[in-house]
């Protein structure tokens, strides 16, 4: 499960860096999606693998 969190955080980082380099504007909906993705990834990492 931790690799899913890693991919999610990497994609959020990629969106932030891509908007800076390529110059596209991040909309409010994209900010909400990135915020929720970060919360989801953080909860996966904090919960850990309880299997």
């Amino acid at each position: 499960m931790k690799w899913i969190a890693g991919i999610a955080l990497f994609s959020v980082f990629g969106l932030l860096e891509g908007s800076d380099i390529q110059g596209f504007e991040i909309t409010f909906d994209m900010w909400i999606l990135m915020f929720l993705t970060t919360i989801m990834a953080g909860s996966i990492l904090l919960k850990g693998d309880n299997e």
Side-chain angles (χ1 to χ4, degrees):
M1 275 308 258
K2 290 185 178 182
W3 60 274
I4 294 174
I7 291 172
L9 290 174
F10 189 72
S11 65
V12 168
F13 177 74
L15 280 173
L16 288 174
E17 284 298 311
S19 69
D20 184 35
I21 293 171
Q22 295 181 1
F24 64 86
E25 184 178 342
I26 296 179
T27 63
F28 178 75
D29 296 334
M30 288 178 70
W31 279 112
I32 295 294
L33 180 64
M34 288 189 293
F35 180 71
L36 293 176
T37 303
T38 305
I39 290 175
M40 179 269 310
S43 65
I44 288 174
L45 290 175
L46 289 177
K47 180 182 173 189
D49 294 329
N50 293 333
E51 296 175 357

